[in-house]
Each structure stands twice: as structure tokens, then as C-alpha cells.
Amino acid sequence: MRDLASIPALIIYGSLAPGESNHSVMDPIKGEWKKATIKGKLQEGGWGSSLGYNGFIPVSSEDAETINCYVLFSEDLPANWDYLDEFEGDGYRRIQTEYELENDQKGIGFIYALNE
């Protein structure tokens, strides 16, 4: 089995996720999608809220909720960070957070959080 921890990872919880309204933005980025969960909060803010997608904010473990998401593992991500940053815009910032896959494997990936 491949060591996914060595492959760049993007955590996706909103409109870019498989089956969601902006998933086509991800088409140029080939990789492996896995279901996962993260800890944090979703709150209204950013352009995604107008489409029904609240934005991620990191919070203390006492205030954190479990959020279902996907993790995209892709060697193409480093070459596409500028493209994705531009798509997300000034309302979001790319940060790192921990994810947990369905098989209980944990890792660190990038996520777009509300730029508060």
C-alpha cells in the first residue's frame, strides 16, 4: 500500500467536493479521493455561504465539531496551489489541519479556512 502521508493532501469540505457545484474546478488536478473527517466548525462567511456552503474555522478541541470531508492526495497539488488560491479568493486562507480517514489513518493536509 502506498504511503499517503508522503503525498500532498488537500482537505475539501464544500463546493469543490465530489458531486458538489464547483467540483469541475478540480478536474485538472488528478489524484486519489478519500472520505475523511476533520475537527473544527463551519460558520457563515466567504463567498461559499451564498451557495449554501459555510466556511471552515479552526477552534479549540472543546468547541470543535466533527465535519465530514474528502481528502485529495495528489502530486499535482504543489503546481496548482496558486490556481486554487485564486479560485478561493481573499475570503479564504490555506492552512494545515489534521484529518482522519475512514480507516482511522490520520494525517495533515491543507484546507481553505475562512480568512477572519
Side-chain angles (χ1 to χ4, degrees), residues 1-13 32-40 56 65-74 77 81 95-111:
M1 185 172 155
R2 294 181 330 159
D3 178 18
L4 293 177
S6 67
I7 300 172
L10 176 61
I11 301 161
I12 297 182
Y13 60 90
E32 184 174 356
W33 292 88
K34 299 262 186 192
K35 288 184 179 179
T37 58
I38 54 174
K39 297 287 188 181
F56 174 81
E65 300 168 357
T66 299
I67 300 166
N68 292 322
C69 61
Y70 288 88
V71 180
L72 172 62
F73 297 95
S74 173
L77 283 168
W81 288 133
I95 63 170
Q96 290 185 310
T97 197
E98 185 177 68
Y99 61 81
E100 184 172 339
L101 300 177
E102 289 182 311
N103 66 3
D104 297 327
Q105 179 182 354
K106 293 182 180 179
I108 301 285
F110 285 100
I111 188 169

mmCIF file of all heavy atoms in Angstrom, residues 1-13 32-40 56 65-74 77 81 95-111:
data_model
loop_
_atom_site.group_PDB
_atom_site.id
_atom_site.type_symbol
_atom_site.label_atom_id
_atom_site.label_comp_id
_atom_site.label_asym_id
_atom_site.label_seq_id
_atom_site.Cartn_x
_atom_site.Cartn_y
_atom_site.Cartn_z
ATOM 1 N N MET A 1 0.853 -1.196 0.000
ATOM 2 C CA MET A 1 0.000 0.000 0.000
ATOM 3 C C MET A 1 0.887 1.243 0.000
ATOM 4 O O MET A 1 1.895 1.305 0.683
ATOM 5 C CB MET A 1 -0.889 -0.010 1.236
ATOM 6 C CG MET A 1 -1.872 1.113 1.254
ATOM 7 S SD MET A 1 -3.023 0.873 2.615
ATOM 8 C CE MET A 1 -3.517 2.535 2.893
ATOM 9 N N ARG A 2 0.464 2.253 -0.758
ATOM 10 C CA ARG A 2 1.227 3.496 -0.829
ATOM 11 C C ARG A 2 1.143 4.252 0.487
ATOM 12 O O ARG A 2 0.143 4.200 1.188
ATOM 13 C CB ARG A 2 0.660 4.385 -1.936
ATOM 14 C CG ARG A 2 0.840 3.814 -3.292
ATOM 15 C CD ARG A 2 0.292 4.707 -4.368
ATOM 16 N NE ARG A 2 -0.841 5.502 -3.894
ATOM 17 C CZ ARG A 2 -1.249 6.607 -4.468
ATOM 18 N NH1 ARG A 2 -0.640 7.069 -5.520
ATOM 19 N NH2 ARG A 2 -2.275 7.268 -4.016
ATOM 20 N N ASP A 3 2.206 4.978 0.787
ATOM 21 C CA ASP A 3 2.239 5.815 1.981
ATOM 22 C C ASP A 3 1.625 7.166 1.623
ATOM 23 O O ASP A 3 2.304 8.031 1.078
ATOM 24 C CB ASP A 3 3.678 5.962 2.471
ATOM 25 C CG ASP A 3 3.767 6.871 3.692
ATOM 26 O OD1 ASP A 3 2.730 7.106 4.345
ATOM 27 O OD2 ASP A 3 4.873 7.346 3.976
ATOM 28 N N LEU A 4 0.345 7.335 1.907
ATOM 29 C CA LEU A 4 -0.343 8.572 1.541
ATOM 30 C C LEU A 4 0.227 9.784 2.264
ATOM 31 O O LEU A 4 0.147 10.901 1.763
ATOM 32 C CB LEU A 4 -1.844 8.450 1.830
ATOM 33 C CG LEU A 4 -2.600 7.441 0.964
ATOM 34 C CD1 LEU A 4 -4.055 7.371 1.394
ATOM 35 C CD2 LEU A 4 -2.500 7.786 -0.512
ATOM 36 N N ALA A 5 0.825 9.585 3.430
ATOM 37 C CA ALA A 5 1.369 10.710 4.194
ATOM 38 C C ALA A 5 2.476 11.435 3.431
ATOM 39 O O ALA A 5 2.757 12.598 3.701
ATOM 40 C CB ALA A 5 1.878 10.233 5.541
ATOM 41 N N SER A 6 3.087 10.773 2.471
ATOM 42 C CA SER A 6 4.174 11.409 1.718
ATOM 43 C C SER A 6 3.673 12.149 0.478
ATOM 44 O O SER A 6 4.459 12.784 -0.223
ATOM 45 C CB SER A 6 5.203 10.353 1.305
ATOM 46 O OG SER A 6 4.634 9.461 0.379
ATOM 47 N N ILE A 7 2.371 12.103 0.223
ATOM 48 C CA ILE A 7 1.777 12.749 -0.956
ATOM 49 C C ILE A 7 1.048 14.012 -0.487
ATOM 50 O O ILE A 7 0.343 13.976 0.521
ATOM 51 C CB ILE A 7 0.788 11.796 -1.652
ATOM 52 C CG1 ILE A 7 1.517 10.533 -2.111
ATOM 53 C CG2 ILE A 7 0.105 12.473 -2.835
ATOM 54 C CD1 ILE A 7 0.606 9.458 -2.637
ATOM 55 N N PRO A 8 1.207 15.145 -1.200
ATOM 56 C CA PRO A 8 0.467 16.355 -0.807
ATOM 57 C C PRO A 8 -1.038 16.086 -0.715
ATOM 58 O O PRO A 8 -1.595 15.349 -1.535
ATOM 59 C CB PRO A 8 0.784 17.345 -1.925
ATOM 60 C CG PRO A 8 2.088 16.868 -2.496
ATOM 61 C CD PRO A 8 2.050 15.367 -2.373
ATOM 62 N N ALA A 9 -1.685 16.691 0.301
ATOM 63 C CA ALA A 9 -3.099 16.441 0.558
ATOM 64 C C ALA A 9 -3.866 17.754 0.692
ATOM 65 O O ALA A 9 -3.401 18.696 1.318
ATOM 66 C CB ALA A 9 -3.256 15.624 1.837
ATOM 67 N N LEU A 10 -5.065 17.772 0.095
ATOM 68 C CA LEU A 10 -5.978 18.899 0.219
ATOM 69 C C LEU A 10 -7.282 18.387 0.794
ATOM 70 O O LEU A 10 -7.894 17.463 0.255
ATOM 71 C CB LEU A 10 -6.232 19.553 -1.141
ATOM 72 C CG LEU A 10 -7.251 20.697 -1.159
ATOM 73 C CD1 LEU A 10 -6.800 21.859 -0.268
ATOM 74 C CD2 LEU A 10 -7.498 21.172 -2.574
ATOM 75 N N ILE A 11 -7.698 18.985 1.905
ATOM 76 C CA ILE A 11 -8.955 18.630 2.570
ATOM 77 C C ILE A 11 -10.057 19.508 1.982
ATOM 78 O O ILE A 11 -9.929 20.736 1.952
ATOM 79 C CB ILE A 11 -8.833 18.853 4.086
ATOM 80 C CG1 ILE A 11 -7.698 18.004 4.655
ATOM 81 C CG2 ILE A 11 -10.160 18.566 4.781
ATOM 82 C CD1 ILE A 11 -7.198 18.456 6.014
ATOM 83 N N ILE A 12 -11.116 18.857 1.519
ATOM 84 C CA ILE A 12 -12.201 19.586 0.857
ATOM 85 C C ILE A 12 -13.517 19.257 1.543
ATOM 86 O O ILE A 12 -13.874 18.091 1.697
ATOM 87 C CB ILE A 12 -12.251 19.232 -0.638
ATOM 88 C CG1 ILE A 12 -10.950 19.685 -1.295
ATOM 89 C CG2 ILE A 12 -13.474 19.838 -1.302
ATOM 90 C CD1 ILE A 12 -10.869 19.450 -2.765
ATOM 91 N N TYR A 13 -14.243 20.304 1.938
ATOM 92 C CA TYR A 13 -15.474 20.132 2.715
ATOM 93 C C TYR A 13 -16.670 20.827 2.078
ATOM 94 O O TYR A 13 -17.772 20.753 2.603
ATOM 95 C CB TYR A 13 -15.267 20.678 4.129
ATOM 96 C CG TYR A 13 -14.906 22.153 4.142
ATOM 97 C CD1 TYR A 13 -15.893 23.123 4.212
ATOM 98 C CD2 TYR A 13 -13.581 22.569 4.036
ATOM 99 C CE1 TYR A 13 -15.560 24.472 4.193
ATOM 100 C CE2 TYR A 13 -13.245 23.897 4.028
ATOM 101 C CZ TYR A 13 -14.240 24.845 4.105
ATOM 102 O OH TYR A 13 -13.914 26.174 4.077
ATOM 103 N N GLU A 32 -6.095 10.864 -5.866
ATOM 104 C CA GLU A 32 -6.933 9.864 -5.202
ATOM 105 C C GLU A 32 -7.756 10.546 -4.114
ATOM 106 O O GLU A 32 -7.208 11.210 -3.229
ATOM 107 C CB GLU A 32 -6.022 8.791 -4.591
ATOM 108 C CG GLU A 32 -6.759 7.649 -3.961
ATOM 109 C CD GLU A 32 -5.823 6.541 -3.486
ATOM 110 O OE1 GLU A 32 -4.607 6.617 -3.706
ATOM 111 O OE2 GLU A 32 -6.340 5.595 -2.870
ATOM 112 N N TRP A 33 -9.080 10.387 -4.190
ATOM 113 C CA TRP A 33 -10.005 10.974 -3.221
ATOM 114 C C TRP A 33 -10.333 9.947 -2.145
ATOM 115 O O TRP A 33 -10.616 8.795 -2.446
ATOM 116 C CB TRP A 33 -11.302 11.382 -3.909
ATOM 117 C CG TRP A 33 -11.162 12.520 -4.854
ATOM 118 C CD1 TRP A 33 -10.841 12.464 -6.176
ATOM 119 C CD2 TRP A 33 -11.345 13.897 -4.562
ATOM 120 N NE1 TRP A 33 -10.813 13.720 -6.718
ATOM 121 C CE2 TRP A 33 -11.122 14.622 -5.750
ATOM 122 C CE3 TRP A 33 -11.676 14.593 -3.397
ATOM 123 C CZ2 TRP A 33 -11.220 16.007 -5.801
ATOM 124 C CZ3 TRP A 33 -11.781 15.972 -3.463
ATOM 125 C CH2 TRP A 33 -11.548 16.664 -4.656
ATOM 126 N N LYS A 34 -10.328 10.380 -0.892
ATOM 127 C CA LYS A 34 -10.696 9.517 0.234
ATOM 128 C C LYS A 34 -11.650 10.283 1.148
ATOM 129 O O LYS A 34 -11.469 11.474 1.389
ATOM 130 C CB LYS A 34 -9.461 9.135 1.056
ATOM 131 C CG LYS A 34 -8.411 8.377 0.288
ATOM 132 C CD LYS A 34 -8.557 6.929 0.556
ATOM 133 C CE LYS A 34 -7.425 6.148 -0.087
ATOM 134 N NZ LYS A 34 -7.689 4.748 -0.087
ATOM 135 N N LYS A 35 -12.671 9.581 1.664
ATOM 136 C CA LYS A 35 -13.565 10.180 2.652
ATOM 137 C C LYS A 35 -12.829 10.292 3.981
ATOM 138 O O LYS A 35 -12.033 9.427 4.337
ATOM 139 C CB LYS A 35 -14.823 9.340 2.821
ATOM 140 C CG LYS A 35 -15.757 9.429 1.635
ATOM 141 C CD LYS A 35 -17.029 8.661 1.903
ATOM 142 C CE LYS A 35 -17.962 8.781 0.708
ATOM 143 N NZ LYS A 35 -19.209 8.033 0.929
ATOM 144 N N ALA A 36 -13.133 11.371 4.703
ATOM 145 C CA ALA A 36 -12.445 11.622 5.966
ATOM 146 C C ALA A 36 -13.319 12.491 6.860
ATOM 147 O O ALA A 36 -14.419 12.896 6.479
ATOM 148 C CB ALA A 36 -11.113 12.322 5.698
ATOM 149 N N THR A 37 -12.790 12.783 8.040
ATOM 150 C CA THR A 37 -13.398 13.766 8.937
ATOM 151 C C THR A 37 -12.293 14.687 9.445
ATOM 152 O O THR A 37 -11.116 14.321 9.471
ATOM 153 C CB THR A 37 -14.101 13.114 10.151
ATOM 154 O OG1 THR A 37 -13.168 12.336 10.876
ATOM 155 C CG2 THR A 37 -15.287 12.266 9.712
ATOM 156 N N ILE A 38 -12.708 15.886 9.828
ATOM 157 C CA ILE A 38 -11.823 16.852 10.461
ATOM 158 C C ILE A 38 -12.547 17.405 11.677
ATOM 159 O O ILE A 38 -13.760 17.220 11.830
ATOM 160 C CB ILE A 38 -11.427 18.005 9.508
ATOM 161 C CG1 ILE A 38 -12.673 18.671 8.910
ATOM 162 C CG2 ILE A 38 -10.492 17.510 8.426
ATOM 163 C CD1 ILE A 38 -12.402 19.906 8.079
ATOM 164 N N LYS A 39 -11.811 18.091 12.522
ATOM 165 C CA LYS A 39 -12.391 18.755 13.696
ATOM 166 C C LYS A 39 -12.288 20.258 13.489
ATOM 167 O O LYS A 39 -11.262 20.762 13.046
ATOM 168 C CB LYS A 39 -11.646 18.360 14.969
ATOM 169 C CG LYS A 39 -11.727 16.887 15.288
ATOM 170 C CD LYS A 39 -13.080 16.516 15.793
ATOM 171 C CE LYS A 39 -13.099 15.084 16.290
ATOM 172 N NZ LYS A 39 -14.395 14.687 16.771
ATOM 173 N N GLY A 40 -13.357 20.958 13.783
ATOM 174 C CA GLY A 40 -13.409 22.407 13.641
ATOM 175 C C GLY A 40 -14.850 22.840 13.655
ATOM 176 O O GLY A 40 -15.705 22.145 14.206
ATOM 177 N N PHE A 56 -14.928 26.825 6.882
ATOM 178 C CA PHE A 56 -14.233 26.171 7.991
ATOM 179 C C PHE A 56 -13.489 27.195 8.832
ATOM 180 O O PHE A 56 -12.871 28.116 8.301
ATOM 181 C CB PHE A 56 -13.227 25.153 7.437
ATOM 182 C CG PHE A 56 -12.362 24.522 8.484
ATOM 183 C CD1 PHE A 56 -12.836 23.468 9.248
ATOM 184 C CD2 PHE A 56 -11.079 24.984 8.715
ATOM 185 C CE1 PHE A 56 -12.042 22.883 10.216
ATOM 186 C CE2 PHE A 56 -10.270 24.404 9.685
ATOM 187 C CZ PHE A 56 -10.759 23.348 10.436
ATOM 188 N N GLU A 65 -16.371 20.480 16.306
ATOM 189 C CA GLU A 65 -17.352 19.506 15.857
ATOM 190 C C GLU A 65 -16.669 18.618 14.818
ATOM 191 O O GLU A 65 -15.661 19.001 14.229
ATOM 192 C CB GLU A 65 -18.536 20.231 15.204
ATOM 193 C CG GLU A 65 -19.243 21.177 16.151
ATOM 194 C CD GLU A 65 -20.232 22.103 15.444
ATOM 195 O OE1 GLU A 65 -20.338 22.050 14.196
ATOM 196 O OE2 GLU A 65 -20.879 22.883 16.141
ATOM 197 N N THR A 66 -17.221 17.446 14.590
ATOM 198 C CA THR A 66 -16.714 16.556 13.555
ATOM 199 C C THR A 66 -17.362 16.950 12.237
ATOM 200 O O THR A 66 -18.594 17.046 12.145
ATOM 201 C CB THR A 66 -17.021 15.085 13.889
ATOM 202 O OG1 THR A 66 -16.366 14.772 15.124
ATOM 203 C CG2 THR A 66 -16.527 14.154 12.802
ATOM 204 N N ILE A 67 -16.537 17.181 11.227
ATOM 205 C CA ILE A 67 -17.012 17.621 9.906
ATOM 206 C C ILE A 67 -16.621 16.566 8.885
ATOM 207 O O ILE A 67 -15.449 16.185 8.782
ATOM 208 C CB ILE A 67 -16.357 18.971 9.533
ATOM 209 C CG1 ILE A 67 -16.707 20.043 10.575
ATOM 210 C CG2 ILE A 67 -16.775 19.394 8.123
ATOM 211 C CD1 ILE A 67 -15.849 21.294 10.484
ATOM 212 N N ASN A 68 -17.596 16.080 8.137
ATOM 213 C CA ASN A 68 -17.316 15.143 7.053
ATOM 214 C C ASN A 68 -16.668 15.894 5.897
ATOM 215 O O ASN A 68 -17.054 17.021 5.586
ATOM 216 C CB ASN A 68 -18.597 14.464 6.570
ATOM 217 C CG ASN A 68 -19.165 13.524 7.611
ATOM 218 O OD1 ASN A 68 -18.429 12.842 8.312
ATOM 219 N ND2 ASN A 68 -20.471 13.493 7.735
ATOM 220 N N CYS A 69 -15.705 15.257 5.262
ATOM 221 C CA CYS A 69 -14.980 15.908 4.181
ATOM 222 C C CYS A 69 -14.355 14.849 3.275
ATOM 223 O O CYS A 69 -14.561 13.651 3.481
ATOM 224 C CB CYS A 69 -13.889 16.814 4.744
ATOM 225 S SG CYS A 69 -12.645 15.925 5.721
ATOM 226 N N TYR A 70 -13.614 15.311 2.302
ATOM 227 C CA TYR A 70 -12.795 14.463 1.443
ATOM 228 C C TYR A 70 -11.362 14.959 1.531
ATOM 229 O O TYR A 70 -11.127 16.139 1.773
ATOM 230 C CB TYR A 70 -13.233 14.566 -0.021
ATOM 231 C CG TYR A 70 -14.542 13.893 -0.320
ATOM 232 C CD1 TYR A 70 -15.739 14.583 -0.183
ATOM 233 C CD2 TYR A 70 -14.576 12.575 -0.763
ATOM 234 C CE1 TYR A 70 -16.947 13.969 -0.463
ATOM 235 C CE2 TYR A 70 -15.775 11.962 -1.052
ATOM 236 C CZ TYR A 70 -16.959 12.655 -0.898
ATOM 237 O OH TYR A 70 -18.149 12.039 -1.184
ATOM 238 N N VAL A 71 -10.427 14.050 1.306
ATOM 239 C CA VAL A 71 -9.031 14.427 1.172
ATOM 240 C C VAL A 71 -8.591 14.000 -0.218
ATOM 241 O O VAL A 71 -8.812 12.849 -0.618
ATOM 242 C CB VAL A 71 -8.144 13.767 2.247
ATOM 243 C CG1 VAL A 71 -6.688 14.190 2.070
ATOM 244 C CG2 VAL A 71 -8.632 14.131 3.650
ATOM 245 N N LEU A 72 -8.022 14.942 -0.956
ATOM 246 C CA LEU A 72 -7.450 14.648 -2.262
ATOM 247 C C LEU A 72 -5.949 14.515 -2.080
ATOM 248 O O LEU A 72 -5.284 15.451 -1.640
ATOM 249 C CB LEU A 72 -7.759 15.761 -3.266
ATOM 250 C CG LEU A 72 -7.050 15.641 -4.617
ATOM 251 C CD1 LEU A 72 -7.457 14.371 -5.355
ATOM 252 C CD2 LEU A 72 -7.302 16.870 -5.467
ATOM 253 N N PHE A 73 -5.432 13.338 -2.406
ATOM 254 C CA PHE A 73 -3.991 13.090 -2.389
ATOM 255 C C PHE A 73 -3.514 13.206 -3.826
ATOM 256 O O PHE A 73 -3.984 12.461 -4.697
ATOM 257 C CB PHE A 73 -3.687 11.688 -1.845
ATOM 258 C CG PHE A 73 -4.120 11.519 -0.418
ATOM 259 C CD1 PHE A 73 -5.351 10.980 -0.105
ATOM 260 C CD2 PHE A 73 -3.284 11.908 0.611
ATOM 261 C CE1 PHE A 73 -5.751 10.822 1.212
ATOM 262 C CE2 PHE A 73 -3.674 11.752 1.939
ATOM 263 C CZ PHE A 73 -4.908 11.211 2.237
ATOM 264 N N SER A 74 -2.627 14.169 -4.091
ATOM 265 C CA SER A 74 -2.224 14.413 -5.473
ATOM 266 C C SER A 74 -0.838 15.025 -5.547
ATOM 267 O O SER A 74 -0.570 16.039 -4.897
ATOM 268 C CB SER A 74 -3.226 15.347 -6.159
ATOM 269 O OG SER A 74 -2.765 15.709 -7.434
ATOM 270 N N LEU A 77 -0.841 18.796 -6.698
ATOM 271 C CA LEU A 77 -1.252 19.933 -5.863
ATOM 272 C C LEU A 77 -0.219 21.057 -5.802
ATOM 273 O O LEU A 77 -0.597 22.220 -5.988
ATOM 274 C CB LEU A 77 -1.633 19.464 -4.456
ATOM 275 C CG LEU A 77 -3.009 18.810 -4.356
ATOM 276 C CD1 LEU A 77 -3.189 18.118 -3.010
ATOM 277 C CD2 LEU A 77 -4.113 19.840 -4.582
ATOM 278 N N TRP A 81 -1.355 25.156 -6.404
ATOM 279 C CA TRP A 81 -1.745 25.969 -5.244
ATOM 280 C C TRP A 81 -2.164 27.375 -5.670
ATOM 281 O O TRP A 81 -3.171 27.897 -5.175
ATOM 282 C CB TRP A 81 -0.630 26.047 -4.205
ATOM 283 C CG TRP A 81 -0.387 24.785 -3.426
ATOM 284 C CD1 TRP A 81 0.825 24.215 -3.180
ATOM 285 C CD2 TRP A 81 -1.346 23.937 -2.776
ATOM 286 N NE1 TRP A 81 0.672 23.065 -2.420
ATOM 287 C CE2 TRP A 81 -0.660 22.874 -2.162
ATOM 288 C CE3 TRP A 81 -2.739 23.970 -2.654
ATOM 289 C CZ2 TRP A 81 -1.281 21.863 -1.436
ATOM 290 C CZ3 TRP A 81 -3.368 22.958 -1.934
ATOM 291 C CH2 TRP A 81 -2.649 21.921 -1.339
ATOM 292 N N ILE A 95 -4.551 26.787 5.160
ATOM 293 C CA ILE A 95 -3.860 26.436 6.396
ATOM 294 C C ILE A 95 -3.744 24.908 6.463
ATOM 295 O O ILE A 95 -4.338 24.200 5.657
ATOM 296 C CB ILE A 95 -4.595 26.965 7.651
ATOM 297 C CG1 ILE A 95 -5.986 26.329 7.778
ATOM 298 C CG2 ILE A 95 -4.679 28.492 7.619
ATOM 299 C CD1 ILE A 95 -6.686 26.610 9.103
ATOM 300 N N GLN A 96 -3.001 24.424 7.434
ATOM 301 C CA GLN A 96 -2.905 22.987 7.643
ATOM 302 C C GLN A 96 -3.763 22.569 8.826
ATOM 303 O O GLN A 96 -3.889 23.310 9.807
ATOM 304 C CB GLN A 96 -1.461 22.568 7.882
ATOM 305 C CG GLN A 96 -0.616 22.680 6.631
ATOM 306 C CD GLN A 96 0.776 22.141 6.853
ATOM 307 O OE1 GLN A 96 1.441 22.508 7.817
ATOM 308 N NE2 GLN A 96 1.216 21.272 5.968
ATOM 309 N N THR A 97 -4.349 21.374 8.711
ATOM 310 C CA THR A 97 -5.102 20.793 9.824
ATOM 311 C C THR A 97 -5.039 19.282 9.709
ATOM 312 O O THR A 97 -4.647 18.735 8.679
ATOM 313 C CB THR A 97 -6.561 21.312 9.846
ATOM 314 O OG1 THR A 97 -7.136 21.062 11.131
ATOM 315 C CG2 THR A 97 -7.412 20.679 8.767
ATOM 316 N N GLU A 98 -5.447 18.627 10.774
ATOM 317 C CA GLU A 98 -5.393 17.164 10.805
ATOM 318 C C GLU A 98 -6.687 16.571 10.269
ATOM 319 O O GLU A 98 -7.771 17.093 10.507
ATOM 320 C CB GLU A 98 -5.173 16.678 12.245
ATOM 321 C CG GLU A 98 -4.984 15.174 12.340
ATOM 322 C CD GLU A 98 -4.688 14.718 13.764
ATOM 323 O OE1 GLU A 98 -5.606 14.814 14.607
ATOM 324 O OE2 GLU A 98 -3.561 14.266 14.003
ATOM 325 N N TYR A 99 -6.568 15.485 9.544
ATOM 326 C CA TYR A 99 -7.715 14.725 9.065
ATOM 327 C C TYR A 99 -7.620 13.297 9.586
ATOM 328 O O TYR A 99 -6.564 12.842 10.014
ATOM 329 C CB TYR A 99 -7.784 14.708 7.527
ATOM 330 C CG TYR A 99 -6.588 14.069 6.865
ATOM 331 C CD1 TYR A 99 -6.475 12.684 6.753
ATOM 332 C CD2 TYR A 99 -5.537 14.840 6.379
ATOM 333 C CE1 TYR A 99 -5.369 12.092 6.162
ATOM 334 C CE2 TYR A 99 -4.433 14.260 5.791
ATOM 335 C CZ TYR A 99 -4.358 12.883 5.684
ATOM 336 O OH TYR A 99 -3.263 12.299 5.111
ATOM 337 N N GLU A 100 -8.761 12.604 9.547
ATOM 338 C CA GLU A 100 -8.786 11.179 9.860
ATOM 339 C C GLU A 100 -9.582 10.470 8.779
ATOM 340 O O GLU A 100 -10.760 10.785 8.556
ATOM 341 C CB GLU A 100 -9.407 10.925 11.232
ATOM 342 C CG GLU A 100 -9.361 9.466 11.629
ATOM 343 C CD GLU A 100 -9.799 9.212 13.066
ATOM 344 O OE1 GLU A 100 -9.768 10.143 13.890
ATOM 345 O OE2 GLU A 100 -10.168 8.063 13.348
ATOM 346 N N LEU A 101 -8.947 9.537 8.095
ATOM 347 C CA LEU A 101 -9.597 8.765 7.039
ATOM 348 C C LEU A 101 -10.530 7.725 7.653
ATOM 349 O O LEU A 101 -10.465 7.430 8.844
ATOM 350 C CB LEU A 101 -8.554 8.078 6.158
ATOM 351 C CG LEU A 101 -7.565 8.998 5.436
ATOM 352 C CD1 LEU A 101 -6.549 8.165 4.653
ATOM 353 C CD2 LEU A 101 -8.285 9.961 4.512
ATOM 354 N N GLU A 102 -11.381 7.136 6.801
ATOM 355 C CA GLU A 102 -12.325 6.122 7.273
ATOM 356 C C GLU A 102 -11.627 4.914 7.897
ATOM 357 O O GLU A 102 -12.203 4.236 8.732
ATOM 358 C CB GLU A 102 -13.215 5.653 6.124
ATOM 359 C CG GLU A 102 -14.214 6.687 5.675
ATOM 360 C CD GLU A 102 -15.111 6.194 4.567
ATOM 361 O OE1 GLU A 102 -14.592 5.635 3.576
ATOM 362 O OE2 GLU A 102 -16.337 6.375 4.687
ATOM 363 N N ASN A 103 -10.382 4.648 7.487
ATOM 364 C CA ASN A 103 -9.637 3.506 8.038
ATOM 365 C C ASN A 103 -8.865 3.890 9.310
ATOM 366 O O ASN A 103 -7.989 3.155 9.744
ATOM 367 C CB ASN A 103 -8.684 2.917 6.999
ATOM 368 C CG ASN A 103 -7.566 3.880 6.615
ATOM 369 O OD1 ASN A 103 -7.454 4.982 7.155
ATOM 370 N ND2 ASN A 103 -6.740 3.479 5.675
ATOM 371 N N ASP A 104 -9.186 5.045 9.887
ATOM 372 C CA ASP A 104 -8.581 5.578 11.119
ATOM 373 C C ASP A 104 -7.172 6.128 10.928
ATOM 374 O O ASP A 104 -6.548 6.554 11.894
ATOM 375 C CB ASP A 104 -8.581 4.542 12.254
ATOM 376 C CG ASP A 104 -9.995 4.138 12.657
ATOM 377 O OD1 ASP A 104 -10.903 4.988 12.576
ATOM 378 O OD2 ASP A 104 -10.185 2.968 13.035
ATOM 379 N N GLN A 105 -6.654 6.136 9.698
ATOM 380 C CA GLN A 105 -5.341 6.724 9.435
ATOM 381 C C GLN A 105 -5.463 8.238 9.553
ATOM 382 O O GLN A 105 -6.382 8.843 9.002
ATOM 383 C CB GLN A 105 -4.860 6.336 8.039
ATOM 384 C CG GLN A 105 -3.520 6.916 7.670
ATOM 385 C CD GLN A 105 -3.105 6.541 6.245
ATOM 386 O OE1 GLN A 105 -3.756 5.759 5.568
ATOM 387 N NE2 GLN A 105 -2.022 7.120 5.798
ATOM 388 N N LYS A 106 -4.521 8.851 10.270
ATOM 389 C CA LYS A 106 -4.530 10.298 10.452
ATOM 390 C C LYS A 106 -3.377 10.914 9.682
ATOM 391 O O LYS A 106 -2.360 10.266 9.432
ATOM 392 C CB LYS A 106 -4.401 10.652 11.931
ATOM 393 C CG LYS A 106 -5.601 10.240 12.738
ATOM 394 C CD LYS A 106 -5.461 10.639 14.179
ATOM 395 C CE LYS A 106 -6.698 10.188 14.949
ATOM 396 N NZ LYS A 106 -6.616 10.537 16.359
ATOM 397 N N GLY A 107 -3.551 12.171 9.316
ATOM 398 C CA GLY A 107 -2.503 12.894 8.627
ATOM 399 C C GLY A 107 -2.781 14.376 8.676
ATOM 400 O O GLY A 107 -3.779 14.834 9.245
ATOM 401 N N ILE A 108 -1.898 15.141 8.060
ATOM 402 C CA ILE A 108 -2.025 16.596 7.986
ATOM 403 C C ILE A 108 -2.187 16.977 6.523
ATOM 404 O O ILE A 108 -1.462 16.491 5.657
ATOM 405 C CB ILE A 108 -0.770 17.293 8.555
ATOM 406 C CG1 ILE A 108 -0.541 16.891 10.014
ATOM 407 C CG2 ILE A 108 -0.859 18.810 8.394
ATOM 408 C CD1 ILE A 108 -1.473 17.521 11.008
ATOM 409 N N GLY A 109 -3.145 17.850 6.255
ATOM 410 C CA GLY A 109 -3.346 18.343 4.902
ATOM 411 C C GLY A 109 -3.680 19.818 4.929
ATOM 412 O O GLY A 109 -3.905 20.408 5.991
ATOM 413 N N PHE A 110 -3.713 20.404 3.748
ATOM 414 C CA PHE A 110 -4.124 21.798 3.628
ATOM 415 C C PHE A 110 -5.634 21.875 3.500
ATOM 416 O O PHE A 110 -6.277 20.974 2.962
ATOM 417 C CB PHE A 110 -3.472 22.453 2.410
ATOM 418 C CG PHE A 110 -2.027 22.766 2.614
ATOM 419 C CD1 PHE A 110 -1.043 21.939 2.108
ATOM 420 C CD2 PHE A 110 -1.639 23.889 3.329
ATOM 421 C CE1 PHE A 110 0.304 22.219 2.297
ATOM 422 C CE2 PHE A 110 -0.300 24.187 3.535
ATOM 423 C CZ PHE A 110 0.672 23.348 3.012
ATOM 424 N N ILE A 111 -6.197 22.963 4.001
ATOM 425 C CA ILE A 111 -7.625 23.214 3.930
ATOM 426 C C ILE A 111 -7.813 24.719 3.729
ATOM 427 O O ILE A 111 -6.983 25.513 4.183
ATOM 428 C CB ILE A 111 -8.335 22.734 5.210
ATOM 429 C CG1 ILE A 111 -9.859 22.811 5.070
ATOM 430 C CG2 ILE A 111 -7.854 23.507 6.435
ATOM 431 C CD1 ILE A 111 -10.600 22.104 6.197
#
